[in-house]
Amino acid sequence: MFNPSDFPQPTRIPVNGVELEVFEAGQRGAGKPIVLCHGWPEHAFSWRHQMPALAAAGYHVIVPNQRGYGHSSRPAEVTDYDLEHLAGDLVALLDHYGYEDATFVGHDWGAFVVWGLTLLHPSRVNKVIALSVPYLERGERPWVESMEAVLGGDYYFVHFNRRPGVADAVLDENTSRFLRNLFRKNEPATEPQPGMVMMNLARAETPLGEPLMSDGELAVLVSAFESTGFTASINWYRNVDRNWRLLADVDPIIRQPALMIYGDRDLVARGENLSEFVPNVEVVSLDCGHWIQQEKPEETNRLMLKWLEQQDAT
């Protein structure tokens, strides 16, 4: 297991009207820039296994705690967490370092942001690597409305939007238990109560599955969320339909080379029409659950580095 004391010390960087807590590896200006974007409810620490491998391969690795997380800014307005703001933070981060573009890697919500960044600011992204969450085609109905029609009002995306503050309070009161129960290896293929799974995990006394992290690693996340609470990070969910509207007039095709990494045991649905919207995508999968880069770090590193080397050779 990784020793948390080996994780780099962060710097706080002013961007786009906020400050981001940013962790780095590799040599600034000398290595090719690659930005790693975490998901929910995570932290830059989720990339601890990838940072040294990418730095050793010659990359300048930039890993922000995105707004709402860790010691990064937590604006009070819900709309300050929409895709325009989140993508704007990453563009401003490139400007801070003086980079015209970079390779962006995202897991979970981070993948959604990276796909959106590439749509909104295509000139700033040279390659995309997404883990777990594929490109989400826009469709004719707002995303939360569509989820509610199919999955019901208890589905957590819907619940976070329709009952603001309720889930936040439950997770805040049970932070350690929730994160301990959530971060498990090899999620089951089926889930008995998908709608209320987040609240169920916060209340469950007996966790299922093998722990994903050591106690010391988990303590990093527990400490972070006990300090910040969950509201700011859940506000990302409360902008899902706003993001749908923001993308209304955007060219929906992503033309950059892309690598899509799935976990075979992940509950997140695969993109049925991925190649239609991302024509230059390569799709691979690993025998793991949702927390791909943490559950299978060596395999993830090999896939990423091999694909990046192939892209740089063409």
Side-chain angles (χ1 to χ4, degrees), residues 79-124:
T79 54
D80 283 345
Y81 297 89
D82 68 15
L83 186 57
E84 185 175 24
H85 286 88
L86 297 172
D89 292 350
L90 298 176
V91 169
L93 196 58
L94 292 188
D95 292 341
H96 169 82
Y97 289 110
Y99 292 129
E100 289 297 320
D101 59 21
T103 297
F104 282 85
V105 183
H107 169 253
D108 185 79
W109 252 106
F112 179 86
V113 171
V114 168
W115 293 123
L117 166 71
T118 309
L119 292 175
L120 294 172
H121 304 278
S123 67
R124 308 307 298 269

Side-chain angles (χ1 to χ4, degrees), residues 105-165:
V105 183
H107 169 253
D108 185 79
W109 252 106
F112 179 86
V113 171
V114 168
W115 293 123
L117 166 71
T118 309
L119 292 175
L120 294 172
H121 304 278
S123 67
R124 308 307 298 269
V125 181
N126 56 50
K127 290 181 284 292
V128 173
I129 300 177
L131 289 79
S132 178
V133 174
Y135 176 98
L136 182 62
E137 57 189 274
R138 188 171 177 275
E140 296 182 357
R141 298 175 67 184
W143 286 316
V144 173
E145 180 182 317
S146 298
M147 292 176 194
E148 187 170 22
V150 175
L151 299 167
D154 280 343
Y155 186 61
Y156 71 101
F157 267 79
V158 181
H159 188 280
F160 287 169
N161 278 272
R162 304 295 189 242
R163 300 184 66 190

Side-chain angles (χ1 to χ4, degrees), residues 127 256-258 280 282 306-314:
K127 290 181 284 292
Q256 287 83 344
N280 297 312
E282 179 179 340
K306 180 180 178 181
W307 183 80
L308 288 167
E309 183 179 359
Q310 291 171 342
Q311 295 303 315
D312 288 342
T314 58

Side-chain angles (χ1 to χ4, degrees), residues 41-42 179-184 211-213 218 221 291 294:
E42 293 186 276
L179 295 174
R180 179 198 68 196
N181 292 346
L182 183 66
F183 288 104
R184 297 273 152 179
L212 182 73
M213 308 177 195
L218 184 62
L221 289 184
W291 316 106
Q294 298 185 78

Side-chain angles (χ1 to χ4, degrees), residues 276-298:
E276 294 181 21
F277 292 91
V278 191
N280 297 312
V281 68
E282 179 179 340
V283 178
V284 296
S285 63
L286 294 172
D287 181 20
C288 62
H290 180 67
W291 316 106
I292 296 171
Q293 78 273 26
Q294 298 185 78
E295 185 173 345
K296 296 287 186 180
E298 293 83 8

